[in-house]
Amino acid sequence: MNTPEPFDRNGEPTPWVGNTEPTPWALGIVVSAVCALFGAFVLVGIYELIGGILKFLGIAAVLVVAGGLGWTLWEFRYRLVWRWIVWGLLIGFLAGVTSSIALLIMGR
């Protein structure tokens, strides 16, 4: 069979090697940017919603959501279409956590 092994010897997923199509960089970067904005806005929204009750509970909720979704999405980073979405969301999660901590420091 010509299908590659899904995992290498270290347990990491292997990238797809049978791809002969060109990489859609322009559209992929647009998708990643939209996903990054979406991820950051969702995390800041969660902080604003729960942080209105108790500030540190808002940060805890943001960390739980970002950690849980980031951990789940990490397995899709080698898929052809999902890689753009995953990397965009991971960058957005990083921006959202940083923005939420900045809002906590500013007292909002």
Side-chain angles (χ1 to χ4, degrees), residues 10 13 39 52 61 96:
N10 298 330

Side-chain angles (χ1 to χ4, degrees), residues 42-63 100-101 103-104 107-108:
V42 165
L43 289 183
V44 170
I46 288 172
Y47 173 75
E48 288 289 330
L49 182 68
I50 298 176
I53 300 168
L54 187 62
K55 299 293 183 195
F56 288 103
L57 188 61
I59 291 293
V62 165
L63 291 175
S100 298
I101 291 172
L103 286 172
L104 174 70
R108 290 197 54 198

Side-chain angles (χ1 to χ4, degrees), residues 42-95:
V42 165
L43 289 183
V44 170
I46 288 172
Y47 173 75
E48 288 289 330
L49 182 68
I50 298 176
I53 300 168
L54 187 62
K55 299 293 183 195
F56 288 103
L57 188 61
I59 291 293
V62 165
L63 291 175
V64 166
V65 170
L69 285 175
W71 184 267
T72 303
L73 290 171
W74 187 250
E75 297 299 321
F76 293 113
R77 71 188 183 274
Y78 287 127
R79 307 265 176 144
L80 290 181
V81 174
W82 277 90
R83 62 183 168 186
W84 302 107
I85 298 168
V86 169
W87 286 110
L89 284 173
L90 291 177
I91 291 169
F93 290 165
L94 181 63

Side-chain angles (χ1 to χ4, degrees), residues 5-31:
E5 290 294 322
F7 296 97
D8 64 4
R9 295 185 189 272
N10 298 330
E12 285 290 316
T14 56
W16 178 254
V17 292
N19 184 17
T20 58
E21 297 178 11
T23 303
W25 285 99
L27 186 60
I29 290 174
V30 169
V31 168

